[in-house]
Amino acid sequence: MTKRILLIDGMALLFRHFYATSVHKNFMMTSQGIPTNGTQGFVRHVLRAVADIQPTHLAICWDMGKSTFRNDMFEGYKQNRPEPPEALVPQFGHVQQISQELGFFNIGLPNYEADDVIGTLATQSAHDTDAHVYVVTGDRDLLQCTADNIHIWLVKKGFSEYLKFDAAAFREHYGLAPKQLIDVKAFMGDSADGYPGVKGIGEKTAIKLIQQYGSVENVISNITSLTAGQQKKINADMDNLICSKRLAEIVCDAPIDTSNIWQQMAFTPDYAHILNVCDQHELRVAKKYILSL
């Protein structure tokens, strides 16, 4: 039997739907004053993905705090991000509680990011030739994990529009192998994650360098073949370049106990139960959407 494994970046969906509705001050308060706009968007998005993909296994992957091993490598990693809005804070715990009550398998790993959990589960799953993995996220970093049977769906618009990548689509779009995205990110850095790369080298130049030389290490080995301007920039930021490559790489062998994880991830939606949970938590908008699926 073919496994269809759905891995979802929980925080990416929560943040996305919080900001999509909060801009209109639509916080969807419960009778107890708990805002649920991000939570309801998360529930709607997950269940639409379930309807579209028909997974046999499902996991919602979560960040487990602001600090990870990457902060030990680079103090400024993700330290440039503002504090979350007041109406979002209570939804962090609430959404995970509801996710569990809905029957979704929640997983996170202290000292690692959700991306590392997704990368590890996706890579391990892909070893099974009868498995297809679908990752729903807003984070382009996960494109480095694409493979013939690992499909990365980048949220584009609403609950059902995505930019969809597998290994072939990635190569066609970037002219690179998926893992070479790590080397591209090493040069261009990531302002959202707060690491610098090489100042003055953007995505277009980074892609050209990796298309020509294959890796950061090969660019460095052939640095005298580059233009004088490129040599100057790279030499000035050599330490940042090497560090940025390490920061950009998603861990695909995180220490996750997988002895019974596939059993825990097995998923068949029980819509009567799901609608009951929506009623209990006053998720009226989510319930109406689910009934329309």
Side-chain angles (χ1 to χ4, degrees):
M1 177 183 174
T2 301
K3 290 180 183 176
R4 297 173 68 82
I5 299 164
L6 175 56
L7 305 175
I8 290 180
D9 184 343
M11 284 300 184
L13 295 192
L14 179 70
F15 271 80
R16 181 179 186 86
H17 294 296
F18 173 82
Y19 285 109
T21 47
S22 65
V23 69
H24 304 295
K25 308 297 183 184
N26 184 13
F27 296 108
M28 304 180 191
M29 310 295 283
T30 70
S31 59
Q32 294 178 323
I34 301 172
T36 62
N37 59 319
T39 299
Q40 296 207 62
F42 163 86
V43 172
R44 294 159 73 187
H45 207 137
V46 171
L47 289 167
R48 177 56 191 259
V50 166
D52 289 342
I53 295 168
Q54 297 289 306
T56 58
H57 296 75
L58 168 66
I60 314 294
C61 304
W62 300 99
D63 293 317
M64 297 291 285
K66 196 171 181 179
S67 182
T68 70
F69 72 92
R70 291 182 178 86
N71 296 99
D72 296 331
M73 294 166 52
F74 183 71
E75 188 176 352
Y77 184 74
K78 289 190 175 179
Q79 296 304 303
N80 57 336
R81 297 187 175 185
E83 291 299 314
E86 183 179 350
L88 178 57
V89 173
Q91 296 185 64
F92 290 141
H94 195 218
V95 70
Q96 293 186 47
Q97 175 193 345
I98 289 172
S99 178
Q100 185 175 359
E101 290 183 22
L102 290 170
F104 308 151
F105 175 64
N106 291 321
I107 183 170
L109 191 64
N111 206 38
Y112 290 85
E113 296 179 53
D115 282 1
D116 302 312
V117 175
I118 291 171
T120 298
L121 294 179
T123 301
Q124 292 188 7
S125 303
H127 293 154
D128 183 345
T129 56
D130 289 327
H132 277 268
V133 182
Y134 297 84
V135 176
V136 171
T137 182
D139 192 344
R140 286 180 177 269
D141 290 349
L142 279 161
L143 291 176
Q144 65 187 259
C145 296
T146 55
D148 291 339
N149 58 344
I150 299 178
H151 311 264
I152 308 296
W153 288 16
L154 294 174
V155 177
K156 183 180 179 182
K157 183 181 178 182
F159 300 98
S160 59
E161 290 189 32
Y162 299 94
L163 295 173
K164 298 178 181 180
F165 289 87
D166 58 10
F170 184 92
R171 290 189 183 95
E172 182 178 350
H173 186 82
Y174 287 98
L176 299 167
K179 289 297 183 187
Q180 289 178 304
L181 179 62
I182 302 166
D183 299 86
V184 171
K185 292 292 296 288
F187 276 107
M188 61 182 284
D190 190 320
S191 58
D193 287 345
Y195 62 87
V198 175
K199 187 176 181 180
I201 292 184
E203 182 177 30
K204 187 178 288 189
T205 300
I207 288 174
K208 286 181 178 178
L209 288 172
I210 301 307
Q211 285 174 336
Q212 183 171 357
Y213 295 101
S215 68
V216 165
E217 292 75 16
N218 285 344
V219 172
I220 294 170
S221 296
N222 292 278
I223 195 167
T224 56
S225 301
L226 306 183
T227 67
Q230 289 171 342
Q231 291 184 50
K232 183 177 180 180
K233 291 171 185 174
I234 292 170
N235 282 321
D237 263 335
M238 185 68 74
D239 289 344
N240 282 335
L241 172 62
I242 294 168
C243 180
S244 292
K245 180 168 180 176
R246 293 166 61 204
L247 292 169
E249 184 172 8
I250 289 172
V251 173
C252 292
D253 58 355
I256 296 172
D257 180 6
T258 59
S259 56
N260 65 345
I261 201 167
W262 305 116
Q263 182 179 351
Q264 294 175 283
M265 285 174 57
F267 181 74
T268 302
D270 180 345
Y271 284 103
H273 173 73
I274 288 167
L275 292 171
N276 186 46
V277 172
C278 289
D279 283 335
Q280 290 176 8
H281 291 277
E282 301 178 43
L283 306 181
R284 289 177 288 273
V285 173
K287 180 181 178 179
K288 182 177 180 181
Y289 183 82
I290 294 163
L291 288 169
S292 72
L293 291 174

